[in-house]
Amino acid sequence: MHRKSLVVKRTMTGCKRMHGSPRKRRRALTIDDLNRVLAEHETSPSHDDRLFCAMLLTGFFALLRLGELTDSDAVTLHEPRKTIQRSLVKLTDANYSFFLPGHKADRFFNGNTVIIPKNSDQHDPHHFFLLYLSSRDEKFPLLSPLWLRDDGSTPTRSWFTRRLRHFFNSSVGGQSMRAGGATLLAEMGTPPHLIQAIGRWRSDAFEGYIRTHPFLIQALLFGRRAT
């Protein structure tokens, strides 16, 4: 009971303000960043290269968290209920989609259907997803997870981060995909409530996300004016 008292709460809040350190935000990925990665891996026959490109583009355009695409490095923290299943992938000429069974804002595992549309640019996520899926289905037709490495294991957070480090310094991390995708939508004039829905943010969480990412505030302002 004492830990919940008003005095204790205010004391802890004051200590955080006095002695806390600001959170380091990763910079948002840009289209030029994506093209830099794809230029090196586009014609690669490597399964893991195709996996990385497909995950990178999917995370960027679907505003996914890194934890929704990868497993934790600690095996004891793996959560099978959050694993995206290959059987729930749907392909059309216009897009690809899959069921995201659980995420940070989904406390009861209701899940969401994630849809990534095709585009005509060189960074078309549909094209690179099909390249990966063809390799994945040929190698592992009987395994259930959507994302699988060349050795049959699911990609971990550290595996994906090491791949990023090949192209970018420490200013870029897993959160950079989500931030970059949100910024691109804002620059295109997408209303904030739609960005919030696409990124599966709770209302209060999205407001905090905007406040702590100045680049997103700027994109929302200038994107709206352009529209």
Side-chain angles (χ1 to χ4, degrees):
M1 292 296 294
H2 295 297
R3 286 180 296 178
K4 297 182 180 180
S5 69
L6 185 60
V7 174
V8 173
K9 288 181 179 180
R10 288 181 175 177
T11 300
M12 295 302 296
T13 300
C15 288
K16 288 181 179 179
R17 289 179 178 176
M18 291 177 63
H19 304 290
S21 57
R23 295 183 63 183
K24 294 182 179 180
R25 293 289 180 180
R26 305 295 187 182
R27 77 165 178 85
L29 283 176
T30 65
I31 293 299
D32 287 340
D33 291 330
L34 297 182
N35 291 337
R36 177 183 172 186
V37 176
L38 301 180
E40 181 168 325
H41 288 333
E42 184 172 12
T43 58
S44 172
S46 165
H47 175 83
D48 280 355
D49 288 348
R50 292 181 177 183
L51 168 63
F52 177 66
C53 289
M55 292 176 67
L56 181 68
L57 292 174
T58 299
F60 182 91
F61 286 103
L63 311 191
L64 291 173
R65 301 173 179 88
L66 182 56
E68 295 166 350
L69 289 167
T70 63
D71 275 333
S72 170
D73 294 312
V75 177
T76 56
L77 296 179
H78 287 190
E79 177 52 81
R81 291 181 298 171
K82 293 184 179 181
T83 301
I84 302 170
Q85 300 296 311
R86 167 63 180 92
S87 60
L88 298 180
V89 172
K90 295 183 179 180
L91 299 169
T92 72
D93 292 336
N95 59 58
Y96 65 93
S97 64
F98 52 81
F99 184 73
L100 184 65
H103 52 83
K104 188 176 180 180
D106 183 16
R107 300 177 180 176
F108 302 104
F109 291 92
N110 292 319
N112 295 92
T113 296
V114 176
I115 302 175
I116 299 94
K118 183 178 182 179
N119 65 52
S120 57
D121 297 321
Q122 67 184 96
H123 48 262
D124 177 23
H126 191 272
H127 168 72
F128 286 93
F129 184 77
L130 289 181
L131 282 178
Y132 161 71
L133 202 64
S134 175
S135 178
R136 179 242 179 259
D137 288 349
E138 180 179 350
K139 287 177 173 291
F140 312 109
L142 301 180
L143 297 184
S144 59
L146 170 60
W147 306 118
L148 289 170
R149 294 174 55 187
D150 192 51
D151 61 4
S153 65
T154 53
T156 61
R157 180 182 295 270
S158 62
W159 177 88
F160 189 88
T161 302
R162 284 196 301 272
R163 285 267 173 166
L164 280 178
R165 288 290 170 272
H166 176 71
F167 297 95
F168 311 107
N169 59 29
S170 59
S171 66
V172 171
Q175 190 184 36
S176 298
M177 295 184 294
R178 185 169 168 85
T183 302
L184 178 63
L185 288 175
E187 290 173 343
M188 295 168 61
T190 307
H193 71 278
L194 290 182
I195 299 176
Q196 176 188 333
I198 295 170
R200 301 162 304 283
W201 275 288
R202 298 190 302 271
S203 59
D204 56 343
F206 184 61
E207 292 167 3
Y209 194 83
I210 292 177
R211 286 197 300 271
T212 54
H213 288 78
F215 57 82
L216 186 51
I217 297 177
Q218 183 180 14
L220 285 168
L221 291 174
F222 286 93
R224 200 175 302 174
R225 289 177 186 174
T227 304

